[in-house]
């Protein structure tokens, strides 16, 4: 191809003009907005407001001392901006809220009356809520014996059906199995009880208990029997966890006490529920 000298010269000239313009623009910005930038190490230049007074970013007057944001050798600590007046306060447009009292910092003046009353009220309400949570009513009168076994009204017609009788017989079988496990444990505290305890199905036991409860008792009595039902389910779960024992290992006294506790509690809760159906 044939080179065109004029085109090359034109392109080079345009590039030089752009480069010179960029350099001039950068130098102008440095001169205008960076006080004493070429000689920034001199203390006199650090206190200068601006190299170009026409483009200076002034707060209020020309005698305003320039304080850099970055700590310097002369001023190693950064300004306390929390105590510095704002631009509007410097210009006198708004009143200054800066605490100028010497030696008094934020938070050292103690609580105000409103803060003290608010804190006291919050503590009082929290204490009342805690007491209510601890002493709240369980949902029924615990001293009332009208819902106990032998006193509560039982729907004998519903209980006499084959379905309910089968459920009651299943619960009695679970109780008999628990008594056998308890006897084996008393004979040998290190006996493997996990296979026997895992034979209980929590889902099936809950289903049978609910079926009997809905058929045999009124709503008032169900408030009390539902608690027995929840206790039975928890007893089986806790008993399974307490009975775990590695092959060839022995139970510690603490583990023996836990197994004994949940065996007694589970048999007691089963007996408490079945007492409604002598």
């Amino acid at each position: 191809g044939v080179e065109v000298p004029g085109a090359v010269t034109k392109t080079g000239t345009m590039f030089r003009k752009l480069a010179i313009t960029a350099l001039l623009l950068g130098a102008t910005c440095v001169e205008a907005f960076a006080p004493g930038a070429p000689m920034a190490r001199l203390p006199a230049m650090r206190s200068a407001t601006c190299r170009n007074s026409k483009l200076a970013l002034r707060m209020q007057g020309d005698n305003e001392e320039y304080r850099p944001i970055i700590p310097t050798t002369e001023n190693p600590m950064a300004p306390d901006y929390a105590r510095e007046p704002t631009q509007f306060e410097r210009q006198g447009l708004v009143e200054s809220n800066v605490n100028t009292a010497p030696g008094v910092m934020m938070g050292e003046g103690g609580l105000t009356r409103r803060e003290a009353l608010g804190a006291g009220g919050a503590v009082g309400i929290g204490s009342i809520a805690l007491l209510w949570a601890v002493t709240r009513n369980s949902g029924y009168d615990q001293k009332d014996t009208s819902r106990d076994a032998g006193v509560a009204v039982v729907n004998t017609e519903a209980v006499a059906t084959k379905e309910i009788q089968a459920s009651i017989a299943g619960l009695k079988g679970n109780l008999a199995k628990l008594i056998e496990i308890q006897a084996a444990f008393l004979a040998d505290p290190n006996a493997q009880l996990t296979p026997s305890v895992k034979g209980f199905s929590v889902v099936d036991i809950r289903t049978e208990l609910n079926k009997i409860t809905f058929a045999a008792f009124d709503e008032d009595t169900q408030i009390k029997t539902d608690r027995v039902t929840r206790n039975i389910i928890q007893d089986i779960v806790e008993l399974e966890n307490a009975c775990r024992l590695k092959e060839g290992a022995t139970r510690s006294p603490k583990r023996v006490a836990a197994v004994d506790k949940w065996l007694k509690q589970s048999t007691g809760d089963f007996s408490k529920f079945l007492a409604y159906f002598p």
Side-chain angles (χ1 to χ4, degrees):
V2 180
E3 295 183 359
V4 182
V8 175
T9 305
K10 185 177 181 181
T11 303
T13 303
M14 184 178 297
F15 175 79
R16 285 195 295 271
K17 288 182 178 180
L18 290 176
I20 293 173
T21 303
L23 290 175
L24 290 176
L25 181 60
T28 303
C29 293
V30 169
E31 287 291 316
F33 300 107
M39 296 179 287
R41 295 184 180 182
L42 299 178
M45 292 295 100
R46 290 186 180 276
S47 61
T49 56
C50 188
R51 294 293 301 276
N52 192 331
S53 59
K54 295 182 179 181
L55 299 177
L57 301 178
R58 294 175 296 179
M59 290 291 188
Q60 190 172 2
D62 293 338
N63 58 352
E64 187 69 26
E65 180 183 0
Y66 172 75
R67 284 180 284 185
I69 298 178
I70 303 175
T72 62
T73 306
E74 293 77 17
N75 184 18
M77 298 300 295
D80 187 1
Y81 295 105
R83 299 172 58 82
E84 289 291 322
T86 64
Q87 179 178 353
F88 293 130
E89 291 172 349
R90 289 179 182 274
Q91 295 176 349
L93 300 178
V94 295
E95 294 183 359
S96 176
N97 294 324
V98 178
N99 186 8
T100 57
V104 179
M105 299 297 290
M106 186 179 298
E108 295 183 357
L111 295 176
T112 63
R113 181 180 298 178
R114 178 178 298 180
E115 292 172 342
L117 293 176
V123 172
I125 294 174
S127 301
I128 294 173
L130 180 61
L131 290 175
W132 176 84
V134 174
T135 62
R136 66 189 181 92
N137 191 354
S138 58
Y140 62 92
D141 187 1
Q142 297 181 355
K143 297 181 180 179
D144 185 14
T145 59
S146 62
R147 302 184 183 93
D148 293 344
V151 181
V153 178
V154 179
N155 188 345
T156 55
E157 294 182 2
V159 173
T161 60
K162 293 181 179 180
E163 185 178 5
I164 300 302
Q165 285 296 318
S167 298
I168 295 175
L171 293 180
K172 290 181 178 180
N174 290 326
L175 176 59
K177 188 175 180 180
L178 281 171
I179 294 175
E180 293 178 1
I181 295 174
Q182 189 175 25
F185 172 74
L186 293 176
D188 182 12
N190 296 318
Q192 280 289 351
L193 306 177
T194 301
S196 301
V197 175
K198 282 188 174 181
F200 295 103
S201 175
V202 174
V203 176
D204 294 341
I205 293 175
R206 183 189 291 112
T207 301
E208 300 300 332
L209 288 169
N210 291 336
K211 187 188 301 182
I212 297 171
T213 299
F214 294 149
F217 307 119
D218 57 15
E219 293 182 355
D220 291 336
T221 306
Q222 288 179 16
I223 295 176
K224 192 166 188 177
T225 57
D226 284 347
R227 183 181 183 185
V228 180
T229 298
R230 291 193 298 270
N231 290 342
I232 291 174
I233 300 303
Q234 182 180 0
D235 294 340
I236 299 299
V237 175
E238 296 292 345
L239 179 61
E240 183 178 350
N241 293 331
C243 287
R244 292 176 180 174
L245 182 66
K246 293 182 179 180
E247 196 68 30
T250 58
R251 290 188 175 91
S252 63
K254 183 178 180 181
R255 180 72 65 169
V256 171
V259 175
D260 183 64
K261 169 189 173 182
W262 291 111
L263 279 172
K264 290 180 179 179
Q265 194 159 324
S266 58
T267 54
D269 288 331
F270 266 100
S271 300
K272 189 182 297 184
F273 187 86
L274 291 172
Y276 287 94
F277 313 99

